[in-house]
Amino acid sequence: MSEPRTYFETVEGCKTCIMRGGAGAPLLFMHGANGAGRWLPFMAELAKNFDVIVPEHPGYGRSDTPAWLDTVGDLANFYLSFMKQLGLEKVTLVGTSMGGWIASEIAVRDPSRIGKLVLVAPAGLRVKGVPVSDIFLWTAEQTTRNLFHSTELAERMLAMPLSDAEVDIAVKNRVTTARLAWSPRLYSADLEKWIHRIDLPTLILWGKQDALIPSVYADKFHELIKNSSVRVFDNCGHLPHAEKSPEFVAAVRQFAGEA
Amino acid sequence: MQFFLFHLMPYADLDLSAPDKYDSAWVTLPNTYYDPKKGHQLYNRYLDELEMGDTLGFDGLCVNEHHSNAYGMMPQPGVLAGSLARRTKNVKIAVLGRALPLINNPITVAEEFAILDNITGGRFIAGFVRGIGAEYFSWNVNPAFSHERFHEAHDLIVQAWTRPGPFAFEGKHYNFNYVNLWPRPYQTPHPPIWIPSQGSTETIEWAAHSDRRYTYLQTFSPVTALAKYMAQYRESAEKQGWQASPENLGWAVPCYVAETDEIAMREARPHAEAFYQKFLRMPTEMLLPPGYLSLKSMQGVMRAKAQMQSGDKSLEAVMKSGMFLCGSAKTVREQIVRYQQEIGFGKILTMLQFATLPHDLAVKNMEIFARDVMGEIRKMDAAPALAAVK
């Protein structure tokens, strides 16, 4: 298993924490609302084929919270500078949940450094009459239970107590998520207007039993991104990369390996 | 000491099983539990109770703003204050306060308060708050911008009251090309500003700033917290080079007075317990949405959460902590005087109707309090002054 290195890079005045491991074409991973504290098994697997780059977004985890951070659009512009500064090209851009929203906004603005796009149960759009769940009313325990379809997996996660430092980071992540996505909740009217401009090959992945963003949202993304395909995992909640890790890795490898 | 009569106008007819069923009396408690026919009775009854405060000799009457709940039915407090403005002659009228960050156009508050100040000929007191966390769900306002919006809205309102218009206001959340308030407030430079709070270092230091010197009100808190935050206000003032007086400090507390301690406790118990256990019920996530507190304060709360107890909200417990004053007039009077001497507040805002307390008991409470607590403390206050004259 490849060992990642963790380092800081200052981009747009923001000291940004990066976990990076493996070799090959760049794969830039955009984490979701709960952050990216640890190098997870799917990252290690993907690092066998890719140079896997996992930044913690400004306002999350060990990264600074810059004064300019108000919207998901701010993060999208930040990552355009980030890819330029790191000299990344032909990037496979993978985003999950909030990270999928950020990835979509990046691709709408400037796809020139991106080769392919993978959206994993992304936030950012709205299907009227099918609201996303209100994550801000969930307790930490309810969040864990609701994000996983497998109760056994949820129990295993809940059995691991958080250190004070991890509690602090969880609070910080939640505050930044509120700042970016409270109103309207997890949705951008501008993204809905302009997401059709994305013409990158795009893979949309979803868990069939997603209790946060229902899987019908996959159809909406598919409908608006013309060069997209959808894969729905059965017996899977909001985090296919964690809950269906081998299937997720295989799907990304296959998609990114295509011409 | 000055005495104010505070009312929340609760939905007293609430089915008390409802907050348990929905784990909240706020945000998600269905409004099918609200019966407008009962509401009609309640609003008129509560306005009568407040108007009684004028004839009983209180220094002021207080209303406030809360949304989507059974705890306090004054989402638009200006309507109630407007009614009181015409029906009273002597008392001050205080809106404590408007929840500034919830409002997309703070000029509406500047206007509303200026009208009240004009109608009453300067009997008006302005209160500014951030609202409680639940309201950020009900009004879908981003709690992460709560502090920013509060400060910016405050600046805009005070400028609208004091700067000759028209002028431009260039903010982050609020932008106006033509701020030009008609009517201007009656009082010069503007109505007194009071800041009710549950106690936060940021709010206390902001209120005690030498440019502002706003009256700070501690609401519904244990006496230990009251003492701590009031000392903090005085220290903060001192650091800024001015001396805070009792005038700058107020305490808001529910209170029930009866013929004896025993009668008071017996009559108050179901209503006081309903207040703390039912009407105030909501989950922590609703009370403290992300960004509502500073990051550091919230991290402290969440670290402590594991050790936090559900909290004993029995009548005995809230009496012991000083969150609820209850007893004979003598008991309550002595308690207020002792706390006043120890802590040094100059205003007390008593809530003499709470939760399900019926009209007859609320009126009895008000009458005994006015005569035997307020009246007696006023005599004691006057005695040293009289002695000095002689």
Side-chain angles (χ1 to χ4, degrees):
Chain A
M1 188 160 145
S2 61
E3 282 300 314
R5 62 195 179 98
T6 300
Y7 65 105
F8 289 87
E9 180 94 20
T10 298
V11 180
E12 294 291 355
C14 176
K15 201 176 137 205
T16 309
C17 183
I18 300 170
M19 292 186 292
R20 190 167 185 172
L27 186 150
L28 181 59
F29 180 79
M30 305 271 102
H31 67 73
N34 284 340
R38 289 178 300 125
W39 190 250
L40 296 170
F42 82 88
M43 296 172 185
E45 272 303 308
L46 287 171
K48 290 174 182 169
N49 310 81
F50 298 95
D51 171 14
V52 177
I53 305 156
V54 184
E56 290 185 287
H57 307 318
Y60 286 84
R62 292 156 285 187
S63 294
D64 283 351
T65 303
W68 49 255
L69 181 62
D70 289 322
T71 66
V72 171
D74 292 329
L75 286 182
N77 288 325
F78 165 85
Y79 278 114
L80 292 175
S81 299
F82 179 95
M83 287 191 287
K84 187 175 178 188
Q85 188 168 320
L86 269 67
L88 305 179
E89 285 175 359
K90 296 197 175 88
V91 173
T92 297
L93 182 61
V94 182
T96 167
S97 195
M98 279 283 290
W101 179 2
I102 299 164
S104 303
E105 299 261 13
I106 296 168
V108 165
R109 280 167 172 74
D110 178 5
S112 62
R113 290 177 181 273
I114 308 168
K116 292 187 176 183
L117 183 62
V118 181
L119 302 176
V120 188
L125 293 183
R126 174 170 66 180
V127 177
K128 283 189 178 175
V130 189
V132 299
S133 295
D134 193 352
I135 48 172
F136 298 114
L137 277 181
W138 288 351
T139 63
E141 186 185 330
Q142 283 168 336
T143 302
T144 303
R145 290 189 192 285
N146 291 339
L147 290 183
F148 291 98
H149 173 66
S150 157
T151 45
E152 187 198 333
L153 206 54
E155 293 299 337
R156 221 186 309 151
M157 300 291 292
L158 289 169
M160 293 187 285
L162 294 182
S163 68
D164 279 353
E166 285 170 322
V167 169
D168 286 354
I169 281 181
V171 171
K172 176 180 174 179
N173 292 349
R174 207 167 156 93
V175 170
T176 299
T177 300
R179 195 170 181 88
L180 301 173
W182 183 277
S183 175
R185 206 73 110 241
L186 294 170
Y187 158 70
S188 160
D190 282 345
L191 181 62
E192 182 158 355
K193 277 190 272 183
W194 297 111
I195 194 169
H196 70 271
R197 295 192 71 245
I198 297 178
D199 54 8
L200 295 163
T202 301
L203 176 63
I204 298 161
L205 301 175
W206 228 285
K208 194 173 176 183
Q209 287 79 18
D210 191 326
L212 173 52
I213 308 177
S215 58
V216 296
Y217 275 71
D219 302 337
K220 175 106 179 182
F221 276 88
H222 181 46
E223 177 196 319
L224 292 172
I225 303 174
K226 46 192 164 292
N227 198 6
S228 67
S229 57
V230 180
R231 168 118 184 248
V232 177
F233 298 103
D234 198 6
N235 297 314
C236 180
H238 183 62
L239 310 171
H241 51 291
E243 190 154 10
K244 293 285 169 199
S245 186
E247 294 88 338
F248 169 83
V249 168
V252 172
R253 268 189 196 137
Q254 193 199 10
F255 171 70
E258 284 169 3
Chain B
M1 187 149 48
Q2 286 185 302
F3 293 85
F4 289 77
L5 181 65
F6 190 91
H7 216 305
L8 279 173
M9 301 200 177
Y11 187 62
D13 287 297
L14 182 67
D15 171 352
L16 291 181
S17 70
D20 296 340
K21 188 173 168 195
Y22 291 91
D23 192 23
S24 180
W26 298 70
V27 186
T28 51
L29 180 69
N31 68 357
T32 45
Y33 283 95
Y34 178 85
D35 176 351
K37 291 200 172 58
K38 288 174 176 163
H40 165 71
Q41 303 284 340
L42 287 172
Y43 277 117
N44 285 287
R45 174 195 144 188
Y46 292 154
L47 284 166
D48 287 346
E49 288 171 9
L50 279 166
E51 286 167 21
M52 260 187 75
D54 191 16
T55 45
L56 288 171
F58 281 87
D59 293 289
L61 309 176
C62 315
V63 295
N64 78 351
E65 172 182 344
H66 287 300
H67 298 274
S68 301
N69 72 93
Y71 165 90
M73 300 191 297
M74 294 184 282
Q76 302 298 331
V79 177
L80 292 314
S83 171
L84 294 170
R86 288 283 298 168
R87 298 272 296 171
T88 60
K89 295 293 169 235
N90 305 307
V91 277
K92 304 269 186 197
I93 292 169
V95 176
L96 302 175
R98 290 303 308 268
L100 299 187
L102 300 186
I103 294 156
N104 288 324
N105 180 357
I107 297 286
T108 57
V109 174
E111 290 173 342
E112 177 186 283
F113 283 5
I115 295 170
L116 287 164
D117 202 34
N118 277 261
I119 293 174
T120 58
R123 285 191 284 129
F124 183 69
I125 294 163
F128 297 142
V129 296
R130 292 197 297 119
I132 75 154
E135 274 137 358
Y136 290 77
F137 287 92
S138 296
W139 271 43
N140 204 27
V141 167
N142 195 329
F145 294 115
S146 171
H147 284 103
E148 283 181 19
R149 284 168 69 96
F150 179 82
H151 291 132
E152 203 175 307
H154 161 272
D155 293 350
L156 171 55
I157 292 167
V158 171
Q159 285 183 33
W161 280 344
T162 53
R163 281 179 66 181
F167 65 87
F169 186 85
E170 296 159 322
K172 175 178 173 183
H173 297 279
Y174 309 110
N175 284 282
F176 291 87
N177 290 345
Y178 310 103
V179 179
N180 192 17
L181 205 70
W182 288 75
R184 292 196 290 125
Y186 185 89
Q187 296 175 79
T188 307
H190 56 72
I193 294 172
W194 292 9
I195 306 296
S197 170
Q198 290 259 293
S200 85
T201 301
E202 294 97 340
T203 304
I204 290 165
E205 287 180 356
W206 179 83
H209 191 278
S210 59
D211 292 347
R212 287 181 279 271
R213 307 184 188 202
Y214 294 157
T215 295
Y216 176 78
L217 303 179
Q218 185 69 31
T219 57
F220 303 165
S221 307
V223 166
T224 47
L226 179 73
K228 176 180 145 195
Y229 294 127
M230 298 213 158
Q232 207 175 330
Y233 185 101
R234 273 190 295 269
E235 283 160 24
S236 190
E238 215 154 287
K239 270 188 225 148
Q240 312 244 11
W242 70 284
Q243 192 81 34
S245 75
E247 277 287 286
N248 298 106
L249 298 167
W251 180 28
V253 62
C255 176
Y256 191 79
V257 198
E259 294 78 356
T260 66
D261 288 350
E262 195 202 352
I263 295 172
M265 283 183 69
R266 191 178 67 233
E267 288 177 347
R269 182 182 299 280
H271 313 293
E273 291 184 348
F275 178 70
Y276 284 104
Q277 295 169 7
K278 308 294 183 186
F279 286 75
L280 271 168
R281 176 163 184 168
M282 74 182 80
T284 309
E285 284 67 29
M286 202 178 265
L287 181 68
L288 301 173
Y292 179 77
L293 298 181
S294 71
L295 186 60
K296 203 165 149 246
S297 305
M298 191 64 194
Q299 284 169 337
V301 169
M302 295 312 285
R303 279 185 182 203
K305 208 183 167 190
Q307 296 98 49
M308 246 161 54
Q309 292 170 343
S310 58
D312 183 359
K313 297 281 161 56
S314 67
L315 178 64
E316 283 75 8
V318 294
M319 281 174 66
K320 191 172 170 216
S321 67
M323 287 174 80
F324 186 76
L325 302 180
C326 186
S328 68
K330 179 169 180 287
T331 301
V332 170
R333 191 169 62 228
E334 285 173 359
Q335 220 175 340
I336 292 174
V337 168
R338 191 175 77 243
Y339 291 148
Q340 202 279 333
Q341 285 167 352
E342 286 170 11
I343 298 169
F345 50 85
K347 304 180 197 311
I348 185 160
L349 290 71
T350 46
M351 188 170 72
L352 301 178
Q353 193 284 335
F354 38 86
T356 47
L357 189 74
H359 184 61
D360 57 337
L361 292 184
V363 167
K364 179 163 78 96
N365 188 21
M366 285 165 61
E367 285 172 345
I368 298 176
F369 183 89
R371 187 184 63 231
D372 299 334
V373 180
M374 178 169 79
E376 291 302 311
I377 293 176
R378 278 189 178 147
K379 280 184 207 160
M380 290 155 63
D381 282 352
L386 283 174
V389 171
K390 283 172 190 167

